[in-house]
């Protein structure tokens, strides 16, 4: 049973560039959430996708956008990268929306901005 | 707004000793509570969850947690730790079924001394 997979595992970009991160949810899951985890901190919720729509968003600027495809996989796009965007980006999947649904995490994409 | 406080950034304990990792959250009418573990260079793995019912929740790897509504706490315990328990532990809270985002604590590093 495949878990949550994320690609790439590591990425180096420079300020001002754009980046796309990808996530395939655990088999049978239909909901994908994205989190940013800065070094030494807990994850911060970016947004959640369900039925190909953004259902809820955390306190992140419009430079952060996403998409969910019919097969439930998802992309996170970040435009105009800033040094402060350097972090581990985690994708989590769950079955259905809802704050009571346990989320299963991938190993993350480590994004470094130079 | 909901917030989560993990009172200890690091907890050193000797192998085979008991451990308690503390988590407090701000008051809410109803909450769902989770503990996740993060091993180095990996994503987050669900240890246990409280959704309703019995206030003592048992999870994987011998961990358990107790939900205390009056003290708004959800402390994680293990009676005897092993070197393999070395990791960072995160407490997370959701406000309810219609609020999809998890609010996370800053994490507690569990350091096992031989």
């Amino acid at each position: 049973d495949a878990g949550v997979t994320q690609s790439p595992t590591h990425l180096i970009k420079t300020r001002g560039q754009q980046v796309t991160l990808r996530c395939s949810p655990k088999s049978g899951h239909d909901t994908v959430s994205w989190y940013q985890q800065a070094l030494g901190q807990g994850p911060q919720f970016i947004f959640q996708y369900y039925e190909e729509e953004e259902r809820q968003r955390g306190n992140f600027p419009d430079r952060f956008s996403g998409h969910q495809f019919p097969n439930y996989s998802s992309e996170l796009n970040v435009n105009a990268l800033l040094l402060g965007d350097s972090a581990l980006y985690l994708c989590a999947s769950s079955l259905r929306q809802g704050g009571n649904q346990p989320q299963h995490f991938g190993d993350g994409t480590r994004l470094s901005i130079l | 707004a909901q917030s989560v406080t993990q009172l200890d950034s690091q907890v050193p304990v000797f192998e085979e000793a008991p451990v308690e990792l503390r988590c407090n959250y701000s008051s809410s009418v109803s909450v769902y509570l989770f503990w996740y573990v993060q091993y180095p260079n990996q994503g987050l793995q669900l240890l246990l969850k409280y959704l309703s019912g019995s206030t003592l929740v048992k999870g994987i790897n011998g961990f358990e947690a107790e939900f205390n509504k009056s003290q708004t706490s959800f402390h994680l315990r293990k009676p005897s730790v092993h070197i393999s328990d070395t990791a960072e532990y995160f407490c997370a809270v959701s406000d309810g079924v219609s609020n999809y985002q998890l609010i996370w604590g800053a994490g507690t590093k569990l350091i096992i001394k031989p």
Side-chain angles (χ1 to χ4, degrees), chain A residues 1-6 23-32 71-73 91-95 102-106:
Chain A
D1 181 16
V4 179
T5 58
Q6 292 186 243
C23 172
S24 292
K26 180 180 167 68
S27 178
H29 285 183
D30 57 8
T31 303
V32 173
N71 67 352
Y72 309 121
S73 67
C91 171
S93 72
S94 58
L95 179 60
Q103 298 187 14
H104 295 252
F105 284 80

PDB file of all heavy atoms in Angstrom, chain A residues 1-6 23-32 71-73 91-95 102-106:
ATOM      1  N   ASP A   1       0.865  -1.197   0.000  1.00  0.00           N
ATOM      2  CA  ASP A   1       0.000   0.000   0.000  1.00  0.00           C
ATOM      3  C   ASP A   1       0.897   1.241   0.000  1.00  0.00           C
ATOM      4  O   ASP A   1       1.576   1.512   0.982  1.00  0.00           O
ATOM      5  CB  ASP A   1      -0.893  -0.027   1.231  1.00  0.00           C
ATOM      6  CG  ASP A   1      -1.824   1.174   1.268  1.00  0.00           C
ATOM      7  OD1 ASP A   1      -1.974   1.831   0.229  1.00  0.00           O
ATOM      8  OD2 ASP A   1      -2.375   1.440   2.341  1.00  0.00           O
ATOM      9  N   ALA A   2       0.881   1.976  -1.125  1.00  0.00           N
ATOM     10  CA  ALA A   2       1.758   3.126  -1.244  1.00  0.00           C
ATOM     11  C   ALA A   2       1.271   4.230  -0.327  1.00  0.00           C
ATOM     12  O   ALA A   2       0.078   4.535  -0.240  1.00  0.00           O
ATOM     13  CB  ALA A   2       1.780   3.614  -2.692  1.00  0.00           C
ATOM     14  N   GLY A   3       2.234   4.831   0.369  1.00  0.00           N
ATOM     15  CA  GLY A   3       1.910   5.965   1.217  1.00  0.00           C
ATOM     16  C   GLY A   3       1.942   7.237   0.403  1.00  0.00           C
ATOM     17  O   GLY A   3       1.888   7.234  -0.823  1.00  0.00           O
ATOM     18  N   VAL A   4       2.056   8.363   1.081  1.00  0.00           N
ATOM     19  CA  VAL A   4       2.128   9.663   0.427  1.00  0.00           C
ATOM     20  C   VAL A   4       3.525   9.834  -0.171  1.00  0.00           C
ATOM     21  O   VAL A   4       4.517   9.640   0.532  1.00  0.00           O
ATOM     22  CB  VAL A   4       1.836  10.792   1.435  1.00  0.00           C
ATOM     23  CG1 VAL A   4       1.940  12.148   0.748  1.00  0.00           C
ATOM     24  CG2 VAL A   4       0.461  10.599   2.065  1.00  0.00           C
ATOM     25  N   THR A   5       3.582  10.179  -1.437  1.00  0.00           N
ATOM     26  CA  THR A   5       4.875  10.395  -2.079  1.00  0.00           C
ATOM     27  C   THR A   5       4.977  11.837  -2.553  1.00  0.00           C
ATOM     28  O   THR A   5       4.012  12.404  -3.091  1.00  0.00           O
ATOM     29  CB  THR A   5       5.085   9.435  -3.263  1.00  0.00           C
ATOM     30  OG1 THR A   5       4.023   9.620  -4.198  1.00  0.00           O
ATOM     31  CG2 THR A   5       5.086   7.990  -2.787  1.00  0.00           C
ATOM     32  N   GLN A   6       6.157  12.412  -2.347  1.00  0.00           N
ATOM     33  CA  GLN A   6       6.407  13.788  -2.745  1.00  0.00           C
ATOM     34  C   GLN A   6       7.640  13.848  -3.632  1.00  0.00           C
ATOM     35  O   GLN A   6       8.596  13.090  -3.442  1.00  0.00           O
ATOM     36  CB  GLN A   6       6.637  14.680  -1.511  1.00  0.00           C
ATOM     37  CG  GLN A   6       5.404  14.864  -0.655  1.00  0.00           C
ATOM     38  CD  GLN A   6       5.636  15.865   0.455  1.00  0.00           C
ATOM     39  OE1 GLN A   6       5.571  15.526   1.630  1.00  0.00           O
ATOM     40  NE2 GLN A   6       5.887  17.111   0.084  1.00  0.00           N
ATOM     41  N   CYS A  23       2.732  16.030  -5.183  1.00  0.00           N
ATOM     42  CA  CYS A  23       2.324  15.116  -4.123  1.00  0.00           C
ATOM     43  C   CYS A  23       1.312  14.109  -4.658  1.00  0.00           C
ATOM     44  O   CYS A  23       0.330  14.492  -5.310  1.00  0.00           O
ATOM     45  CB  CYS A  23       1.710  15.906  -2.974  1.00  0.00           C
ATOM     46  SG  CYS A  23       0.946  14.899  -1.683  1.00  0.00           S
ATOM     47  N   SER A  24       1.557  12.844  -4.361  1.00  0.00           N
ATOM     48  CA  SER A  24       0.558  11.805  -4.639  1.00  0.00           C
ATOM     49  C   SER A  24       0.035  11.286  -3.311  1.00  0.00           C
ATOM     50  O   SER A  24       0.826  10.856  -2.464  1.00  0.00           O
ATOM     51  CB  SER A  24       1.179  10.658  -5.427  1.00  0.00           C
ATOM     52  OG  SER A  24       1.520  11.071  -6.725  1.00  0.00           O
ATOM     53  N   PRO A  25      -1.261  11.314  -3.100  1.00  0.00           N
ATOM     54  CA  PRO A  25      -1.793  10.905  -1.793  1.00  0.00           C
ATOM     55  C   PRO A  25      -1.731   9.398  -1.588  1.00  0.00           C
ATOM     56  O   PRO A  25      -1.512   8.631  -2.530  1.00  0.00           O
ATOM     57  CB  PRO A  25      -3.246  11.381  -1.857  1.00  0.00           C
ATOM     58  CG  PRO A  25      -3.585  11.369  -3.312  1.00  0.00           C
ATOM     59  CD  PRO A  25      -2.314  11.739  -4.022  1.00  0.00           C
ATOM     60  N   LYS A  26      -1.904   9.000  -0.354  1.00  0.00           N
ATOM     61  CA  LYS A  26      -2.015   7.581  -0.005  1.00  0.00           C
ATOM     62  C   LYS A  26      -3.195   6.987  -0.772  1.00  0.00           C
ATOM     63  O   LYS A  26      -4.222   7.657  -0.968  1.00  0.00           O
ATOM     64  CB  LYS A  26      -2.232   7.464   1.495  1.00  0.00           C
ATOM     65  CG  LYS A  26      -2.381   6.054   2.049  1.00  0.00           C
ATOM     66  CD  LYS A  26      -2.580   6.124   3.560  1.00  0.00           C
ATOM     67  CE  LYS A  26      -3.060   4.795   4.132  1.00  0.00           C
ATOM     68  NZ  LYS A  26      -2.035   3.745   4.044  1.00  0.00           N
ATOM     69  N   SER A  27      -3.035   5.740  -1.181  1.00  0.00           N
ATOM     70  CA  SER A  27      -4.089   5.065  -1.918  1.00  0.00           C
ATOM     71  C   SER A  27      -5.408   5.104  -1.144  1.00  0.00           C
ATOM     72  O   SER A  27      -5.447   4.792   0.051  1.00  0.00           O
ATOM     73  CB  SER A  27      -3.664   3.610  -2.156  1.00  0.00           C
ATOM     74  OG  SER A  27      -4.686   2.904  -2.837  1.00  0.00           O
ATOM     75  N   GLY A  28      -6.477   5.522  -1.808  1.00  0.00           N
ATOM     76  CA  GLY A  28      -7.788   5.587  -1.180  1.00  0.00           C
ATOM     77  C   GLY A  28      -8.122   6.943  -0.571  1.00  0.00           C
ATOM     78  O   GLY A  28      -9.267   7.179  -0.184  1.00  0.00           O
ATOM     79  N   HIS A  29      -7.136   7.824  -0.461  1.00  0.00           N
ATOM     80  CA  HIS A  29      -7.377   9.157   0.112  1.00  0.00           C
ATOM     81  C   HIS A  29      -7.767  10.139  -0.981  1.00  0.00           C
ATOM     82  O   HIS A  29      -7.293  10.056  -2.118  1.00  0.00           O
ATOM     83  CB  HIS A  29      -6.131   9.669   0.833  1.00  0.00           C
ATOM     84  CG  HIS A  29      -5.913   9.004   2.154  1.00  0.00           C
ATOM     85  ND1 HIS A  29      -4.872   9.364   2.995  1.00  0.00           N
ATOM     86  CD2 HIS A  29      -6.581   8.014   2.787  1.00  0.00           C
ATOM     87  CE1 HIS A  29      -4.925   8.623   4.089  1.00  0.00           C
ATOM     88  NE2 HIS A  29      -5.950   7.793   3.989  1.00  0.00           N
ATOM     89  N   ASP A  30      -8.633  11.112  -0.613  1.00  0.00           N
ATOM     90  CA  ASP A  30      -9.118  12.053  -1.607  1.00  0.00           C
ATOM     91  C   ASP A  30      -8.828  13.517  -1.245  1.00  0.00           C
ATOM     92  O   ASP A  30      -9.198  14.419  -1.995  1.00  0.00           O
ATOM     93  CB  ASP A  30     -10.628  11.875  -1.805  1.00  0.00           C
ATOM     94  CG  ASP A  30     -11.415  12.031  -0.505  1.00  0.00           C
ATOM     95  OD1 ASP A  30     -10.827  12.425   0.537  1.00  0.00           O
ATOM     96  OD2 ASP A  30     -12.630  11.753  -0.517  1.00  0.00           O
ATOM     97  N   THR A  31      -8.207  13.744  -0.119  1.00  0.00           N
ATOM     98  CA  THR A  31      -7.984  15.106   0.385  1.00  0.00           C
ATOM     99  C   THR A  31      -6.500  15.320   0.622  1.00  0.00           C
ATOM    100  O   THR A  31      -5.825  14.457   1.196  1.00  0.00           O
ATOM    101  CB  THR A  31      -8.758  15.307   1.701  1.00  0.00           C
ATOM    102  OG1 THR A  31     -10.150  15.050   1.474  1.00  0.00           O
ATOM    103  CG2 THR A  31      -8.589  16.732   2.206  1.00  0.00           C
ATOM    104  N   VAL A  32      -6.008  16.458   0.162  1.00  0.00           N
ATOM    105  CA  VAL A  32      -4.583  16.760   0.288  1.00  0.00           C
ATOM    106  C   VAL A  32      -4.408  18.107   0.977  1.00  0.00           C
ATOM    107  O   VAL A  32      -5.055  19.089   0.623  1.00  0.00           O
ATOM    108  CB  VAL A  32      -3.890  16.788  -1.094  1.00  0.00           C
ATOM    109  CG1 VAL A  32      -2.450  17.272  -0.950  1.00  0.00           C
ATOM    110  CG2 VAL A  32      -3.915  15.402  -1.723  1.00  0.00           C
ATOM    111  N   ASN A  71      -7.127  12.653 -10.276  1.00  0.00           N
ATOM    112  CA  ASN A  71      -6.627  11.437  -9.596  1.00  0.00           C
ATOM    113  C   ASN A  71      -6.231  11.724  -8.156  1.00  0.00           C
ATOM    114  O   ASN A  71      -5.594  10.889  -7.521  1.00  0.00           O
ATOM    115  CB  ASN A  71      -5.458  10.829 -10.377  1.00  0.00           C
ATOM    116  CG  ASN A  71      -4.233  11.723 -10.354  1.00  0.00           C
ATOM    117  OD1 ASN A  71      -4.285  12.863  -9.882  1.00  0.00           O
ATOM    118  ND2 ASN A  71      -3.135  11.215 -10.885  1.00  0.00           N
ATOM    119  N   TYR A  72      -6.588  12.910  -7.647  1.00  0.00           N
ATOM    120  CA  TYR A  72      -6.355  13.356  -6.263  1.00  0.00           C
ATOM    121  C   TYR A  72      -4.931  13.835  -5.998  1.00  0.00           C
ATOM    122  O   TYR A  72      -4.681  14.383  -4.915  1.00  0.00           O
ATOM    123  CB  TYR A  72      -6.725  12.292  -5.229  1.00  0.00           C
ATOM    124  CG  TYR A  72      -8.113  11.722  -5.404  1.00  0.00           C
ATOM    125  CD1 TYR A  72      -8.302  10.353  -5.611  1.00  0.00           C
ATOM    126  CD2 TYR A  72      -9.222  12.553  -5.379  1.00  0.00           C
ATOM    127  CE1 TYR A  72      -9.584   9.839  -5.792  1.00  0.00           C
ATOM    128  CE2 TYR A  72     -10.494  12.044  -5.561  1.00  0.00           C
ATOM    129  CZ  TYR A  72     -10.666  10.688  -5.767  1.00  0.00           C
ATOM    130  OH  TYR A  72     -11.930  10.172  -5.946  1.00  0.00           O
ATOM    131  N   SER A  73      -4.015  13.668  -6.945  1.00  0.00           N
ATOM    132  CA  SER A  73      -2.678  14.205  -6.721  1.00  0.00           C
ATOM    133  C   SER A  73      -2.749  15.728  -6.707  1.00  0.00           C
ATOM    134  O   SER A  73      -3.747  16.331  -7.138  1.00  0.00           O
ATOM    135  CB  SER A  73      -1.713  13.708  -7.793  1.00  0.00           C
ATOM    136  OG  SER A  73      -2.060  14.246  -9.056  1.00  0.00           O
ATOM    137  N   CYS A  91       3.390  17.382   2.444  1.00  0.00           N
ATOM    138  CA  CYS A  91       2.075  17.082   1.914  1.00  0.00           C
ATOM    139  C   CYS A  91       1.454  16.018   2.817  1.00  0.00           C
ATOM    140  O   CYS A  91       2.138  15.083   3.245  1.00  0.00           O
ATOM    141  CB  CYS A  91       2.208  16.575   0.478  1.00  0.00           C
ATOM    142  SG  CYS A  91       0.693  15.918  -0.214  1.00  0.00           S
ATOM    143  N   ALA A  92       0.175  16.160   3.090  1.00  0.00           N
ATOM    144  CA  ALA A  92      -0.541  15.177   3.902  1.00  0.00           C
ATOM    145  C   ALA A  92      -1.842  14.821   3.206  1.00  0.00           C
ATOM    146  O   ALA A  92      -2.497  15.695   2.614  1.00  0.00           O
ATOM    147  CB  ALA A  92      -0.832  15.733   5.290  1.00  0.00           C
ATOM    148  N   SER A  93      -2.214  13.569   3.275  1.00  0.00           N
ATOM    149  CA  SER A  93      -3.489  13.160   2.688  1.00  0.00           C
ATOM    150  C   SER A  93      -4.391  12.553   3.748  1.00  0.00           C
ATOM    151  O   SER A  93      -3.925  12.060   4.783  1.00  0.00           O
ATOM    152  CB  SER A  93      -3.282  12.188   1.532  1.00  0.00           C
ATOM    153  OG  SER A  93      -2.864  10.913   1.995  1.00  0.00           O
ATOM    154  N   SER A  94      -5.676  12.610   3.489  1.00  0.00           N
ATOM    155  CA  SER A  94      -6.653  12.016   4.396  1.00  0.00           C
ATOM    156  C   SER A  94      -7.859  11.586   3.576  1.00  0.00           C
ATOM    157  O   SER A  94      -8.026  11.975   2.413  1.00  0.00           O
ATOM    158  CB  SER A  94      -7.059  13.001   5.488  1.00  0.00           C
ATOM    159  OG  SER A  94      -7.603  14.173   4.930  1.00  0.00           O
ATOM    160  N   LEU A  95      -8.677  10.768   4.244  1.00  0.00           N
ATOM    161  CA  LEU A  95      -9.912  10.350   3.604  1.00  0.00           C
ATOM    162  C   LEU A  95     -10.993  11.333   4.023  1.00  0.00           C
ATOM    163  O   LEU A  95     -11.315  11.437   5.202  1.00  0.00           O
ATOM    164  CB  LEU A  95     -10.277   8.928   4.037  1.00  0.00           C
ATOM    165  CG  LEU A  95     -11.577   8.367   3.461  1.00  0.00           C
ATOM    166  CD1 LEU A  95     -11.509   8.316   1.940  1.00  0.00           C
ATOM    167  CD2 LEU A  95     -11.841   6.985   4.016  1.00  0.00           C
ATOM    168  N   PRO A 102      -7.460  11.827  10.575  1.00  0.00           N
ATOM    169  CA  PRO A 102      -6.003  11.731  10.703  1.00  0.00           C
ATOM    170  C   PRO A 102      -5.340  11.940   9.350  1.00  0.00           C
ATOM    171  O   PRO A 102      -5.835  11.468   8.325  1.00  0.00           O
ATOM    172  CB  PRO A 102      -5.785  10.299  11.204  1.00  0.00           C
ATOM    173  CG  PRO A 102      -7.086   9.905  11.800  1.00  0.00           C
ATOM    174  CD  PRO A 102      -8.141  10.611  11.008  1.00  0.00           C
ATOM    175  N   GLN A 103      -4.241  12.645   9.350  1.00  0.00           N
ATOM    176  CA  GLN A 103      -3.533  12.927   8.117  1.00  0.00           C
ATOM    177  C   GLN A 103      -2.262  12.086   8.040  1.00  0.00           C
ATOM    178  O   GLN A 103      -1.572  11.895   9.036  1.00  0.00           O
ATOM    179  CB  GLN A 103      -3.206  14.417   8.038  1.00  0.00           C
ATOM    180  CG  GLN A 103      -4.475  15.267   8.016  1.00  0.00           C
ATOM    181  CD  GLN A 103      -4.214  16.734   7.783  1.00  0.00           C
ATOM    182  OE1 GLN A 103      -3.141  17.128   7.381  1.00  0.00           O
ATOM    183  NE2 GLN A 103      -5.218  17.553   8.040  1.00  0.00           N
ATOM    184  N   HIS A 104      -1.976  11.614   6.839  1.00  0.00           N
ATOM    185  CA  HIS A 104      -0.785  10.815   6.567  1.00  0.00           C
ATOM    186  C   HIS A 104       0.176  11.676   5.767  1.00  0.00           C
ATOM    187  O   HIS A 104      -0.204  12.235   4.746  1.00  0.00           O
ATOM    188  CB  HIS A 104      -1.168   9.552   5.797  1.00  0.00           C
ATOM    189  CG  HIS A 104      -2.035   8.628   6.574  1.00  0.00           C
ATOM    190  ND1 HIS A 104      -1.584   7.425   7.080  1.00  0.00           N
ATOM    191  CD2 HIS A 104      -3.330   8.722   6.978  1.00  0.00           C
ATOM    192  CE1 HIS A 104      -2.572   6.827   7.740  1.00  0.00           C
ATOM    193  NE2 HIS A 104      -3.633   7.591   7.696  1.00  0.00           N
ATOM    194  N   PHE A 105       1.421  11.743   6.231  1.00  0.00           N
ATOM    195  CA  PHE A 105       2.388  12.668   5.666  1.00  0.00           C
ATOM    196  C   PHE A 105       3.398  11.967   4.770  1.00  0.00           C
ATOM    197  O   PHE A 105       3.811  10.825   5.026  1.00  0.00           O
ATOM    198  CB  PHE A 105       3.137  13.386   6.781  1.00  0.00           C
ATOM    199  CG  PHE A 105       2.337  14.456   7.455  1.00  0.00           C
ATOM    200  CD1 PHE A 105       1.402  14.132   8.417  1.00  0.00           C
ATOM    201  CD2 PHE A 105       2.495  15.788   7.101  1.00  0.00           C
ATOM    202  CE1 PHE A 105       0.645  15.115   9.038  1.00  0.00           C
ATOM    203  CE2 PHE A 105       1.755  16.778   7.716  1.00  0.00           C
ATOM    204  CZ  PHE A 105       0.828  16.443   8.683  1.00  0.00           C
ATOM    205  N   GLY A 106       3.835  12.699   3.752  1.00  0.00           N
ATOM    206  CA  GLY A 106       4.995  12.296   2.981  1.00  0.00           C
ATOM    207  C   GLY A 106       6.265  12.742   3.684  1.00  0.00           C
ATOM    208  O   GLY A 106       6.220  13.387   4.740  1.00  0.00           O
TER     209      GLY A 106
END
